[in-house]
Amino acid sequence: MTMYRQHLERISRAVQKVSTRPAASSYIWGGRRSPLAFAVFHLFFLMRLLSPLQWVKYSVRRRNTAKPPTTNQRPDFPAAYTEWYFIVILVVAGTAYLVRHAANPHPPVLLAWLLSAVGWLLITECVVWVMYYLMLRAFVERYYTIFHPAEYVLTFPLLLTIQLLLVSDVTGRGITDLLQAFIGNPEAGDRFGTTLAVFGLAYLGVAITVVLSSHPGIDTRTAQTVSIIGAGDVTLNRILPALKTLGYERSSITISSIEDPETANARAAIGDDAQLHVTSPDKVLATALREHAPTIIASPTFAHFTQLVALATAGVPFAVEKPIASGRPERTVLRTEGAQLMARGFALSYYSLEKALPLTYFLQPLPVYSRFLAASEPGLLGGAALHALREELGQVRSANIDLLEGASRSPASYGRLWTEVPGTLNPFIETTIHPLLLLRHITGAGPIAWTGCALGRHAPRAAQVRAEYGQEIAPTWLEATAHHGTIELRMRVAKHVPSSLAQRRAVITYANGSVTADFDTRRVDFEVNGQNRGWIAIDTGRDAGRYQQNYAVLVSLFMEFAINGWGAVRFDDFERQLDALDHWDDLCELVDQHQPPVTEYTTESLTTSVPRLVHLGTTATPPQRRSGTTPSTPRLPNR
């Protein structure tokens, strides 16, 4: 009895490996056994025992027991083996069909009966394979398959062809008659044809199921049109020319703007380069929301948050100009809800993602940046040389950033007035955001401690704004010092400086060398122990110099994101910009508290009236923002 039981257990284990018995959970629902599910699933379990393919699988797996399983609890049987098995069956069935029609053989009765039995067995196997693998397996073995989703779509027509040939071989009927019956048009009174018609309907359902469940579908590509909110200086002189350089035509660019004193000038400047819609503030988003096209928010800072929330809610891919939000409460929302609000959003940063992109790549070598860059040697773009260079330089000791701009880059009309009022330090963030972001790239996360500050105001521009608009402008000169741990930091940002002093660059000093970034040439040079170690720069020689145009790199990065989404990592400056804006608020609060003098200067007198650096004591009480002292602000224009 014991030996008999052992034989039964051995046979049971073998049977279970040939055709997996359905799990009880597939037919016991709510504590009750479903008679239909139990009968159907076990019927297919038994019928699969008759499949030669299942016994081939069993044999292969027995030989591969020494091999560790992959994602299965049993040795894998590659999909290629199944395909070759059915290809062999197709060749045999096709050969038998051709021989029968060419020679009309009359084999002995016993052989004919044997061939017919084999044919019906293979037909049954094909039917069971189709109904089980393409319909029922998901109910009983959801996680067993290692097939690629396309496998079922490709194998299904193969099995249909095999079955037609085999049925023709065992019944003697022609392929045309079988197809006519299979598609639901059998001859009257033909029971076999009617049976084929029923199978045809069942197989139609299988085909639909296979397509719906296996086909990955095609994602709708983001529209190749671009919507811009705001028709100010940034749009006219940077974004629009960049889009034209990248090949966008008038019909692909829509600019929405509110009516303001600059609109007439904007309409003339835009000309035939884009479509301009002038509308009320409450409808400025209408075009972007209707077209669902990638949208660039180039409106004044105070409008950014409301507009990005509206676009994010509608699922529209968007980019938002710096600074992303003006107040701490808005940034708090962006920090806590940023994963949702900025999932389809791109934080633009003209310096760190274009003019200083070589430096950004050196500090954060993401592959998406490298396609815009050239280097003195290939290894500096992702090779071992770049890693070795960083190791040789050692620890950061200090960082100095200068953004000193002359008259041509300084506000001179109403169009940039909103970047200068009210007369506190806060509006200067429009320019200081650039060095702040670069400092954040250099130092990494964590607070910085401001230690000194000097402020100046360009007297002629201040007098002009005071006379025409009755407003006091913000400081136009700022020098600030700070430290982040042991790293000493200094930034100088100024407007209306003499051409002899104008410069835009950063110098980072390391333990064993230095890195110098020239923002005008968009190049960074490396020096280690007094030796020049090469350079990285924007590749202006590629594509006929298309990246020489300002904003071309930045807009290209945004469109890359808008079309393909984020990959494994964000490549904008979203989180770093939030940190940089927090650093700026800290500095503004200290300035409010310590009230450093604001030195007036002219372009000619700046060299003799450089503002004096005032120490910002670290022992002072935490700065508190003053209320009720901010001058009223005029209606502000687009960027």
Side-chain angles (χ1 to χ4, degrees):
M1 180 66 69
T2 302
M3 184 174 295
Y4 175 74
R5 184 175 301 164
Q6 289 176 347
H7 283 304
L8 285 179
E9 290 176 355
R10 189 177 297 113
I11 293 172
S12 176
R13 286 196 298 269
V15 166
Q16 178 68 11
K17 291 178 180 178
V18 173
S19 177
T20 307
R21 185 179 289 109
S25 59
S26 64
Y27 55 81
I28 297 179
W29 309 336
R32 293 289 187 270
R33 177 175 299 180
S34 165
L36 290 176
F38 180 86
V40 171
F41 294 157
H42 279 85
L43 173 63
F44 276 90
F45 162 67
L46 295 173
M47 293 181 70
R48 291 176 71 222
L49 290 173
L50 302 176
S51 167
L53 176 60
Q54 291 303 113
W55 289 97
V56 171
K57 290 181 180 179
Y58 174 65
S59 175
V60 171
R61 284 169 174 156
R62 285 191 65 184
R63 290 198 298 270
N64 293 343
T65 52
K67 295 182 179 181
T70 54
T71 56
N72 206 334
Q73 295 302 311
R74 58 194 180 193
D76 288 330
F77 186 82
Y81 292 1
T82 300
E83 292 183 15
W84 280 115
Y85 173 82
F86 284 121
I87 288 172
V88 170
I89 300 300
L90 175 65
V91 172
V92 171
T95 302
Y97 177 83
L98 293 175
V99 169
R100 180 168 61 82
H101 282 269
N104 194 21
H106 296 283
V109 175
L110 183 60
L111 180 58
W113 181 88
L114 180 61
L115 292 175
S116 180
V118 172
W120 281 113
L121 176 65
L122 295 176
I123 291 170
T124 302
E125 177 184 53
C126 289
V127 172
V128 170
W129 196 95
V130 169
M131 300 304 294
Y132 180 75
Y133 283 98
L134 304 188
M135 289 289 287
L136 296 178
R137 194 183 196 198
F139 296 110
V140 293
E141 291 183 322
R142 285 189 70 178
Y143 304 107
Y144 274 70
T145 186
I146 62 169
F147 286 5
H148 188 278
E151 177 67 21
Y152 296 133
V153 177
L154 298 174
T155 307
F156 185 44
L158 176 63
L159 267 72
L160 284 179
T161 305
I162 293 173
Q163 290 175 73
L164 281 173
L165 291 171
L166 288 173
V167 171
S168 178
D169 288 338
V170 299
T171 63
R173 297 188 179 213
I175 294 291
T176 302
D177 293 338
L178 293 175
L179 283 174
Q180 184 174 340
F182 189 73
I183 64 175
N185 191 25
E187 294 183 4
D190 183 359
R191 294 182 179 179
F192 186 77
T194 303
T195 303
L196 283 181
V198 173
F199 269 92
L201 289 174
Y203 274 29
L204 176 61
V206 170
I208 294 173
T209 300
V210 169
V211 171
L212 292 179
S213 61
S214 299
H215 197 282
I218 300 174
D219 291 334
T220 300
R221 187 174 183 178
T222 304
Q224 295 305 288
T225 56
V226 180
S227 178
I228 305 171
I229 301 174
D233 178 69
V234 170
T235 295
L236 299 182
N237 298 320
R238 294 181 181 176
I239 299 174
L240 187 55
L243 289 172
K244 300 296 290 183
T245 298
L246 296 174
Y248 286 83
E249 299 178 350
R250 180 182 187 277
S251 59
S252 302
I253 307 172
T254 301
I255 301 174
S256 299
S257 172
I258 61 172
E259 185 67 59
D260 60 44
E262 294 289 300
T263 302
N265 295 333
R267 183 177 286 107
I270 291 170
D272 293 331
D273 289 341
Q275 304 172 79
L276 175 63
H277 294 168
V278 179
T279 183
S280 58
D282 60 318
K283 295 181 180 180
V284 75
L285 284 172
T287 301
L289 296 175
R290 181 180 64 251
E291 299 295 333
H292 215 81
T295 299
I296 300 175
I297 300 174
S299 54
T301 303
F302 64 80
H304 288 179
F305 183 74
T306 301
Q307 291 170 351
L308 77 83
V309 169
L311 293 171
T313 302
V316 177
F318 65 90
V320 56
E321 265 289 353
K322 51 74 185 171
I324 191 170
S326 57
R328 285 190 191 268
E330 296 164 333
R331 296 201 299 274
T332 299
V333 174
L334 287 170
R335 285 189 188 280
T336 57
E337 307 296 334
Q340 290 76 34
L341 285 176
M342 294 297 288
R344 300 286 288 159
F346 188 101
L348 295 172
S349 178
Y350 180 40
Y351 268 71
S352 59
L353 295 182
E354 181 155 335
K355 297 188 78 64
L357 186 64
L359 177 60
T360 299
Y361 180 77
F362 172 71
L363 299 170
Q364 186 185 19
L366 295 181
V368 69
Y369 300 148
S370 63
R371 67 186 177 95
F372 301 103
L373 302 173
S376 55
E377 57 178 288
L380 288 179
L381 293 180
L386 183 65
H387 175 74
L389 181 61
R390 284 196 295 263
E391 291 295 313
E392 289 182 60
L393 283 167
Q395 296 293 319
V396 180
R397 293 288 185 258
S398 65
N400 292 273
I401 301 176
D402 287 333
L403 263 66
L404 307 178
E405 299 184 328
S408 64
R409 299 182 182 275
S410 302
S413 65
Y414 177 82
R416 300 297 291 169
L417 180 62
W418 66 275
T419 67
E420 299 179 285
V421 296
T424 64
L425 181 60
N426 302 69
F428 207 26
I429 186 60
E430 284 296 317
T431 302
T432 55
I433 185 61
H434 299 308
L436 287 167
L437 265 173
L438 295 175
L439 290 176
R440 171 61 177 78
H441 273 276
I442 295 166
T443 63
I448 64 175
W450 296 107
T451 57
C453 178
L455 301 178
R457 181 178 286 116
H458 186 240
R461 174 61 175 169
Q464 176 198 358
V465 172
R466 199 178 298 120
E468 294 185 18
Y469 307 108
Q471 297 288 311
E472 187 66 74
I473 65 170
T476 54
W477 169 284
L478 167 69
E479 180 178 2
T481 58
H483 63 81
H484 180 281
T486 60
I487 305 175
E488 295 298 323
L489 308 172
R490 182 186 72 100
M491 69 175 185
R492 290 192 305 168
V493 187
K495 301 287 187 181
H496 308 284
V497 303
S499 56
S500 59
L501 293 182
Q503 65 174 359
R504 296 187 289 182
R505 72 170 195 161
V507 178
I508 309 171
T509 303
Y510 290 81
N512 303 312
S514 64
V515 174
T516 303
D518 187 320
F519 303 140
D520 289 318
T521 61
R522 298 188 292 181
R523 166 171 161 160
V524 61
D525 288 88
F526 308 103
E527 182 181 284
V528 180
N529 295 323
Q531 299 295 317
N532 187 300
R533 294 295 299 273
W535 51 265
I536 298 176
I538 294 291
D539 188 359
T540 56
R542 183 182 301 171
D543 296 333
R546 68 190 304 189
Y547 298 132
Q548 290 181 354
Q549 174 63 51
N550 290 336
Y551 260 56
V553 172
L554 187 59
V555 170
S556 296
L557 284 170
F558 166 56
M559 296 311 297
E560 164 83 13
F561 152 73
I563 293 172
N564 299 315
W566 298 118
V569 62
R570 292 186 73 106
F571 47 86
D572 66 344
D573 260 342
F574 170 51
E575 294 182 354
R576 283 182 291 270
Q577 189 175 141
L578 296 181
D579 291 343
L581 292 171
D582 284 347
H583 295 335
W584 176 250
D585 278 356
D586 293 340
L587 177 59
C588 290
E589 289 169 356
L590 285 169
V591 167
D592 280 351
Q593 179 176 337
H594 290 274
Q595 294 292 306
V598 180
T599 303
E600 289 204 345
Y601 66 91
T602 66
T603 302
E604 294 75 19
S605 69
L606 178 58
T607 54
T608 59
S609 59
V610 176
R612 182 173 56 88
L613 198 67
V614 173
H615 177 66
L616 303 176
T618 56
T619 59
T621 57
Q624 301 293 324
R625 289 199 178 279
R626 294 174 296 171
S627 60
T629 59
T630 302
S632 59
T633 329
R635 177 181 169 84
L636 298 180
N638 297 298
R639 279 181 175 267

